[in-house]
Amino acid sequence: GNSVTQMEGPVTLSEEAFLTINCTYTATGYPSLFWYVQYPGEGLQLLLKATKADDKGSNKGFEATYRKETTSFHLEKGSVQVSDSAVYFCALGLREFNKFYFGSGTKLNVKP
Amino acid sequence: NAGVTQTPKFQVLKTGQSMTLQCAQDMNHNSMYWYRQDPGMGLRLIYYSASEGTTDKGEVPNGYNVSRLNKREFSLRLESAAPSQTSVYFCASRYSRSTTGELFFGEGSRLTVL
C-alpha cells in the first residue's frame, strides 16, 4: 500500500539550532513528495516538493532530498527561527495524482 | 488572490443535526478534495472529485455526502451529525494535469458536535 511515516513530535529546539524531521514512505508507483507547513489556526501551505528521485526541494532555508534507495524525504534546516514554529506534514502524491497520503504531522516549537 | 475559500469557519451542532460545508476555488483547478484533521492522525481523505461531475470515496466517507456543484464548488454534507465528526475540515484543490500537482488548501472549518 501507500503510506507516509514521519517522526513524532513535538520537537523543541532553540533558535539557530539545526532541524531534521524524518519522513519515510511506501508507494506502489512513482510518487512525488511534498512537505507542507501548518501555522496555528491556518490551513496547510506547500513548503517544498520533489517530483523524482535525487531531486532536492528547497524553500525558505528548508531542504529535502528525494531518496529512492532509502524511501525517505527528510526535512532539514540549518538554523531555525521562532517563526518556524508550526506543524510540518510530509506527503506523497502518486502519478495518477487523485490521491495524496499524509503523515501524521510533526509539531516544531522553537524557543528564543 | 482568494485561492480556496471555505465556509463556515466555525460551527457547533447538536447530535443529529445536519449541515453543509461549502468550498470554492478560483484557480480553475479540476480536482477537489475534502479532508478531516484529528489530533495525532494527520489528514484523512473523506471524498474527492477528480473532475466536474465525478466524486469518489476516500479513506473515511461514512456519515458524509458530497456534491460537485460545478468546476469551482465542492460541498460536504453531514446528514446526521455525530460527536465522532468533531474535527477540523479542510477543502483542497489541484490541477491534476500538472506534473507537480500540489494541493492548495483552504483555511479550514472547525466543527464541534455536542
Side-chain angles (χ1 to χ4, degrees), chain B residues 29-72:
Chain B
H29 288 167
N30 53 324
S31 297
M32 298 185 73
Y33 304 75
W34 277 106
Y35 287 90
R36 59 178 289 174
Q37 183 180 30
D38 302 293
M41 302 189 73
L43 275 76
R44 292 183 292 170
L45 181 63
I46 305 171
Y47 272 93
Y48 68 99
S49 171
S51 61
E52 188 177 354
T54 69
T55 60
D56 285 286
K57 295 178 180 179
E59 198 179 343
V60 288
N62 291 343
Y64 305 95
N65 286 300
V66 290
S67 295
R68 184 74 183 266
L69 304 171
N70 48 54
K71 190 172 185 178
R72 291 186 62 248

Side-chain angles (χ1 to χ4, degrees), chain A residues 2 25-31 66 68 94-96:
Chain A
N2 303 295
Y25 68 90
T26 59
T28 54
Y30 300 95
Y66 187 163
K68 188 177 179 182
L94 295 172
R95 283 289 180 222
E96 61 268 28

Side-chain angles (χ1 to χ4, degrees), chain B residues 52-114:
Chain B
E52 188 177 354
T54 69
T55 60
D56 285 286
K57 295 178 180 179
E59 198 179 343
V60 288
N62 291 343
Y64 305 95
N65 286 300
V66 290
S67 295
R68 184 74 183 266
L69 304 171
N70 48 54
K71 190 172 185 178
R72 291 186 62 248
E73 298 173 288
F74 188 40
S75 63
L76 178 71
R77 182 160 179 84
L78 287 69
E79 291 291 352
S80 179
S84 61
Q85 294 178 303
T86 293
S87 188
V88 181
Y89 292 86
F90 287 99
C91 179
S93 69
R94 61 181 286 267
Y95 183 59
S96 62
R97 296 181 185 86
S98 164
T99 54
T100 53
E102 65 263 30
L103 288 169
F104 293 79
F105 284 85
E107 293 187 347
S109 298
R110 185 176 293 275
L111 174 65
T112 301
V113 183
L114 303 175

Side-chain angles (χ1 to χ4, degrees), chain A residues 36 38 49 89 97-98 100, chain B residues 33 37 94 100-103:
Chain A
Y36 282 84
Q38 184 180 32
K49 63 190 177 190
F89 291 91
F97 268 9
N98 283 332
F100 282 67
Chain B
Y33 304 75
Q37 183 180 30
R94 61 181 286 267
T100 53
E102 65 263 30
L103 288 169

Side-chain angles (χ1 to χ4, degrees), chain A residues 12-16 80-83 85 109-112:
Chain A
T12 301
L13 296 173
S14 297
E15 206 165 22
E16 300 185 0
V80 294
Q81 305 300 312
V82 172
S83 57
S85 298
N109 296 316
V110 180
K111 296 185 173 180

